[in-house]
């Protein structure tokens, strides 16, 4: 209907010989069409910006959740490494003690010197780095931190694997050679009396004199010290990324 009236107006102007009004009216129609197109583009752009912002926030949230889990793992690992170092230093100082001076506490320290594998996440980070999502992050410093983060996790994982290999391939076989696993059973539980009374006895003084054991303990001590330093460094990086994510998100979250 509107198209019909516009056409009638143009015909009327032509019949009246008013070319000027005809062209002014036609120009006005063109301007209205252009404005309508520009408005449509603008609305579409705003919708795209809104959609991209929603996607960006989801990306940040997934990254933050992954970093939060890594922070918990790193905090736990740092406490464990510090505890392991204290035990290993104590074991080094037991070397040379005669059998009668090796206390029950020393024996417990030797037997319960265990290893816990560290597992850190980088799935969300790699997902962002290897897709177009990465370009949605505005902060260049945050981009650099995110890009380097998986590599730093890899460095820590390599050192952790070295400790694992020392424990499994070097320390455990020597422990099994000289010690009875019955020592790990609770002394107060009567159902273990038979093996504790008649089973093979542990020889802690021979274990502490074993060169392979000594070298393995020292190697583990040195690598655990490296692990502790790397874990503290990575924890600092994790905190830094989390802080920058907070700024990008525009609100504070519990670290």
């Amino acid at each position: 209907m509107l198209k019909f009236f516009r056409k009638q107006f143009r015909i009327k102007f032509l019949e009246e010989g008013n070319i000027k009004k005809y062209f002014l009216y036609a120009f006005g129609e063109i301007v209205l069409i252009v404005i309508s197109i520009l408005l449509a583009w603008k609305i579409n752009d705003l919708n795209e910006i809104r959609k991209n912002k929603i996607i960006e926030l989801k990306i940040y949230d997934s990254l933050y959740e992954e970093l939060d889990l890594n922070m918990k793992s790193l905090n736990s690992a740092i406490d464990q490494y510090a505890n392991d170092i204290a035990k290993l230093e104590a074991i080094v100082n037991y070397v040379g003690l005669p059998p009668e001076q090796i206390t029950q506490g020393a024996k417990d320290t030797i037997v319960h010197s265990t290893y816990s594998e560290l597992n850190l996440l980088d799935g969300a980070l790699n997902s962002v780095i290897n897709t177009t999502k990465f370009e949605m992050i505005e902060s260049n410093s945050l981009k650099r931190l995110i890009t380097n983060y998986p590599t730093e996790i890899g460095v820590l994982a390599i050192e952790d694997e070295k400790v694992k290999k020392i424990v499994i391939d070097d320390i455990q076989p020597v422990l099994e050679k000289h010690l009875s696993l019955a020592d790990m059973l609770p002394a107060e539980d009567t159902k273990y009396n038979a093996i504790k009374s008649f089973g093979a006895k542990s020889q802690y003084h021979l274990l502490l004199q074993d060169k392979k054991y000594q070298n393995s303990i020292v190697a583990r001590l040195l690598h655990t010290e490296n692990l502790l330093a790397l874990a503290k460094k990575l924890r600092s990086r994790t905190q830094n990324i989390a802080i920058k994510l907070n700024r990008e998100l525009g609100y504070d979250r519990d670290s």
Side-chain angles (χ1 to χ4, degrees):
M1 182 66 72
L2 187 60
K3 183 178 179 181
F4 171 79
F5 282 115
R6 291 204 305 266
K7 183 177 180 181
Q8 293 301 312
F9 275 118
R10 290 197 297 271
I11 293 172
K12 179 182 179 182
F13 291 144
L14 285 174
E15 289 176 349
E16 293 175 352
N18 196 334
I19 301 300
K20 184 177 180 180
K21 283 187 177 181
Y22 174 81
F23 281 111
L24 282 173
Y25 186 84
F27 179 74
E29 283 190 336
I30 293 171
V31 170
L32 287 174
I33 292 171
V34 170
I35 291 173
S36 298
I37 293 172
L38 291 175
L39 284 173
W41 280 348
K42 185 64 177 177
I43 291 171
N44 185 62
D45 287 344
L46 291 173
N47 285 334
E48 286 300 315
I49 291 171
R50 182 180 61 82
K51 289 178 183 177
N52 288 338
K53 191 63 178 177
I54 292 172
I55 294 173
E56 185 180 358
L57 290 175
K58 288 182 178 179
I59 293 170
Y60 288 156
D61 280 337
S62 65
L63 284 177
Y64 198 95
E65 288 174 6
E66 187 168 89
L67 291 170
D68 186 54
L69 291 172
N70 283 350
M71 276 296 297
K72 292 176 181 177
S73 296
L74 286 167
N75 285 332
S76 177
I78 288 169
D79 290 341
Q80 183 62 51
Y81 297 153
N83 187 51
D84 288 344
I85 289 170
K87 286 185 176 181
L88 292 166
E89 288 175 341
I91 292 173
V92 169
N93 289 323
Y94 298 151
V95 173
L97 290 178
E100 64 274 11
Q101 292 185 20
I102 302 174
T103 65
Q104 186 59 48
K107 293 176 181 179
D108 290 341
T109 299
I110 292 170
V111 171
H112 294 95
S113 182
T114 57
Y115 162 79
S116 298
E117 188 171 2
L118 175 64
N119 292 305
L120 297 175
L121 305 173
D122 62 1
L125 286 161
N126 285 320
S127 174
V128 170
I129 293 169
N130 297 322
T131 64
T132 55
K133 299 174 185 176
F134 192 61
E135 299 305 318
M136 295 181 182
I137 298 175
E138 297 177 0
S139 171
N140 289 326
S141 60
L142 179 56
K143 284 183 178 180
R144 285 193 296 271
L145 286 170
I146 290 174
T147 302
N148 295 332
Y149 194 78
T151 301
E152 294 186 69
I153 289 179
V155 172
L156 185 59
I158 290 172
E159 195 67 19
D160 186 55
E161 186 63 29
K162 290 178 182 177
V163 172
K164 180 180 179 180
K165 189 174 187 301
I166 291 170
V167 172
I168 294 175
D169 295 345
D170 300 329
I171 295 178
Q172 286 183 358
V174 185
L175 287 176
E176 291 171 3
K177 176 183 176 182
H178 293 289
L179 303 185
S180 169
L181 293 181
D183 287 356
M184 300 183 70
L185 299 173
E188 64 278 4
D189 198 327
T190 57
K191 67 183 177 183
Y192 300 123
N193 284 348
I195 191 170
K196 283 186 172 291
S197 299
F198 305 108
K201 303 302 180 183
S202 296
Q203 298 174 311
Y204 287 91
H205 64 290
L206 293 181
L207 171 69
L208 292 170
Q209 291 173 10
D210 191 298
K211 183 179 178 180
K212 183 177 181 181
Y213 179 71
Q214 293 173 7
N215 289 339
S216 299
I217 290 297
V218 171
R220 184 182 179 185
L221 173 60
L222 295 174
H223 283 290
T224 304
E225 288 174 341
N226 289 339
L227 268 179
L228 180 60
L230 290 170
K232 286 181 177 179
K233 180 181 178 182
L234 188 60
R235 181 173 65 178
S236 177
R237 292 282 192 276
T238 305
Q239 289 174 330
N240 201 0
I241 295 175
I243 289 170
K244 290 183 180 295
L245 276 175
N246 278 338
R247 291 173 183 169
E248 290 272 337
L249 289 167
Y251 59 88
D252 291 330
R253 303 175 65 163
D254 294 330
S255 299

